[in-house]
Amino acid sequence: MNSLDRLAHEFAKLPGVGAKTAMRYAYAVIGMSAEDAADFSRAISDVKEKVHYCRECGNFTEDDVCEICRERPSDVICVVTYPKDVAAMEKAHSFGGVYHVLHGTISPLGGRGADDIRIKELLARLSGVKEVILATNPDVEGEATAMYIAALIKPLGIKVSRIAQGVSLGSDIEYADSVTLSRAIESRVML
Amino acid sequence: MNSLDRLAHEFAKLPGVGAKTAMRYAYAVIGMSAEDAADFSRAISDVKEKVHYCRECGNFTEDDVCEICRERPSDVICVVTYPKDVAAMEKAHSFGGVYHVLHGTISPLGGRGADDIRIKELLARLSGVKEVILATNPDVEGEATAMYIAALIKPLGIKVSRIAQGVSLGSDIEYADSVTLSRAIESRVML
C-alpha cells in the first residue's frame, strides 16, 4: 500500500468515515503545509500520551485529578455514561457540581454487568454527598443502569434524582415519537 | 488549549468537518490502541514526506515518475484537473493511456491564468502524441480551460477530444437539471 492509501485507510477507522471521505481527507493532508501536517501528526500522538482518566471522576484529563473535580463542590455528583456526556452537560451551563463517568451501561445482552462499569468507584465517593443526579441516556440500557444505581444509593440516605424526560425544546410535537410523548404526558408539570 | 481540544482543532481543518464531528474524531483517537494511534500519526507525517508530483504527469506518486507514466503507452494523454480525477478515471477502467494533471483551471475571477496551471508542461509532452482527451469538469471553468487548451493543440495537428456530456447513467430524467438535459439533446447519438 502506498502512503496515500495507507493514510486513507487510517482515516477510515474514524466513526462514520467511508472510503471516499477517507480519501478526501488524505488529499486534504497532502494539500496542507508541511508545518500543519506535522502539527496534526503530533496532536494525534500527544492526545494518546497525555490524556487519561481523572482518578476521581473518570473524565478525560491531562492531570491526575481533573479541573472540575479540583475546583467544584463535590456534594452533588452527576452520573453520566461517557466523557462526551460531560462535555454536553458543561455546554448547557446548568450544573455546578462534579461528575462521575461510568464508561458504559449495564447491558445483559452486551455481556456487561455492574462490575464492568465504574459503579464501585462511584460508591467509594459518596461520603458527604447530598445528591446523585443520574444522567444516563433515556434508553433501555441507560434506564436500567440508572435504576440499578438508584437502588444501591437510596438506602444510604442520599437523594437520588433522574434528569427529566419529555419533548425536546424547539422540537415539533408532530414528529415526536410516541414513547417520548407518553412520557411527556405522564411527567406533566402543573401550572 | 488541552491536547484533546487541539486534536479536534486539527481535525476541523479537514474538508466538511465541523466542530462536533472533529470532537467525535478526537474521542475516537483516544479510544484507539496506542499502536493504532501511532500508526495514524505516522501515516500523516509519511504522506507529506513521501508523496509529491510525478515529474511527467503531475499526479501524486512516491517515485520520480509515477507507475502509470512508466508502464503505459504515452501516445494518448487524458488531461484532468486534479489528482483525484485520475483516481476516478482509473476506477472506471476505460482509459489505458497516460494522464496530465493541470492542478487547477483557468479562472479569470479566481485570478488564475493559463500560466498558473500546468499547461506549459502539457505542451512539452506532445511529441509523438496522437490524441489529447480533455477531461476537465463540465462546468464554466472546466469548459473554458478545455477550449483554451484545444485552441493551443489543434493547430499542431494532434487530435483533441472532450469527454461526452449528457444525463448520468442510472439517473432520473425527471431530476436532471435543464442545462444537462439540453446538452443531452444537442449531443444525441443516432441509432
Side-chain angles (χ1 to χ4, degrees):
Chain A
M1 218 186 315
N2 66 40
S3 52
L4 188 67
D5 290 336
R6 202 160 52 235
L7 178 56
H9 175 75
E10 295 294 337
F11 275 124
K13 290 179 185 168
L14 296 172
V17 177
K20 242 177 167 167
T21 304
M23 191 47 92
R24 221 165 109 235
Y25 290 170
Y27 280 128
V29 171
I30 292 193
M32 287 179 182
S33 71
E35 198 180 305
D36 276 0
D39 284 348
F40 193 178
S41 167
R42 204 173 316 115
I44 288 174
S45 43
D46 269 7
V47 97
K48 281 303 287 185
E49 278 166 33
K50 293 186 186 164
V51 175
H52 50 254
Y53 296 163
C54 167
R55 206 182 51 195
E56 288 290 318
C57 72
N59 192 15
F60 292 136
T61 180
E62 299 186 20
D63 307 308
D64 189 30
V65 172
C66 77
E67 207 181 317
I68 292 176
C69 285
R70 283 198 317 262
E71 297 183 357
R72 300 227 197 128
S74 58
D75 54 349
V76 183
I77 298 182
C78 177
V79 176
V80 297
T81 317
Y82 295 112
K84 58 189 168 192
D85 300 324
V86 174
M89 282 292 195
E90 286 297 290
K91 234 191 293 184
H93 295 294
S94 298
F95 177 67
V98 295
Y99 294 92
H100 187 85
V101 184
L102 296 172
H103 287 281
T105 48
I106 297 173
S107 165
L109 287 175
R112 279 193 311 279
D115 291 343
D116 298 317
I117 61 175
R118 299 179 70 255
I119 290 181
K120 269 196 307 285
E121 289 84 345
L122 174 62
L123 298 179
R125 292 177 70 187
L126 293 181
S127 83
V129 169
K130 290 188 201 133
E131 181 177 355
V132 172
I133 302 173
L134 299 169
T136 53
N137 286 336
D139 56 18
V140 176
E141 294 185 357
E143 280 297 309
T145 305
M147 293 309 113
Y148 182 89
I149 294 174
L152 286 176
I153 294 180
K154 262 163 124 179
L156 308 176
I158 297 169
K159 270 199 283 183
V160 179
S161 60
R162 178 91 176 100
I163 50 164
Q165 294 172 19
V167 288
S168 307
L169 268 78
S171 69
D172 207 324
I173 300 251
E174 183 184 355
Y175 301 119
D177 64 285
S178 48
V179 181
T180 297
L181 267 187
S182 58
R183 178 66 60 104
I185 289 173
E186 280 166 30
S187 311
R188 67 192 178 280
V189 176
M190 289 303 155
L191 301 177
Chain B
M1 219 187 316
N2 66 40
S3 52
L4 188 67
D5 290 336
R6 202 160 51 235
L7 178 56
H9 176 76
E10 295 294 338
F11 275 125
K13 291 179 184 168
L14 296 173
V17 176
K20 243 178 166 165
T21 303
M23 191 46 90
R24 220 165 110 234
Y25 290 169
Y27 280 127
V29 170
I30 291 194
M32 286 179 180
S33 71
E35 198 180 306
D36 276 1
D39 284 348
F40 193 177
S41 167
R42 203 174 317 115
I44 288 174
S45 43
D46 269 8
V47 97
K48 280 304 288 185
E49 278 167 32
K50 293 185 186 165
V51 175
H52 50 254
Y53 295 163
C54 167
R55 204 183 51 194
E56 288 289 319
C57 71
N59 192 15
F60 292 137
T61 180
E62 299 187 20
D63 308 309
D64 190 30
V65 173
C66 77
E67 209 183 316
I68 292 176
C69 284
R70 285 197 317 261
E71 296 182 357
R72 300 228 197 128
S74 58
D75 54 349
V76 182
I77 297 182
C78 177
V79 176
V80 297
T81 317
Y82 294 113
K84 58 190 170 191
D85 300 323
V86 174
M89 281 294 196
E90 287 295 290
K91 235 192 290 184
H93 295 293
S94 299
F95 177 68
V98 294
Y99 294 92
H100 187 84
V101 184
L102 296 172
H103 287 281
T105 48
I106 297 173
S107 165
L109 288 175
R112 280 192 310 278
D115 291 343
D116 298 317
I117 61 175
R118 298 180 70 256
I119 290 180
K120 269 196 309 283
E121 290 84 343
L122 174 63
L123 298 179
R125 290 177 72 188
L126 292 181
S127 83
V129 168
K130 290 189 201 134
E131 181 178 354
V132 172
I133 302 173
L134 298 169
T136 51
N137 287 336
D139 56 19
V140 175
E141 295 185 356
E143 280 298 307
T145 306
M147 291 311 111
Y148 182 89
I149 294 174
L152 287 175
I153 295 181
K154 263 162 124 181
L156 309 175
I158 297 170
K159 269 199 286 185
V160 179
S161 61
R162 180 89 175 99
I163 50 164
Q165 294 172 18
V167 289
S168 309
L169 268 78
S171 69
D172 208 325
I173 300 249
E174 184 184 354
Y175 302 118
D177 65 285
S178 50
V179 181
T180 297
L181 268 187
S182 59
R183 178 66 61 104
I185 288 173
E186 280 167 28
S187 311
R188 66 192 178 280
V189 176
M190 289 303 155
L191 302 177

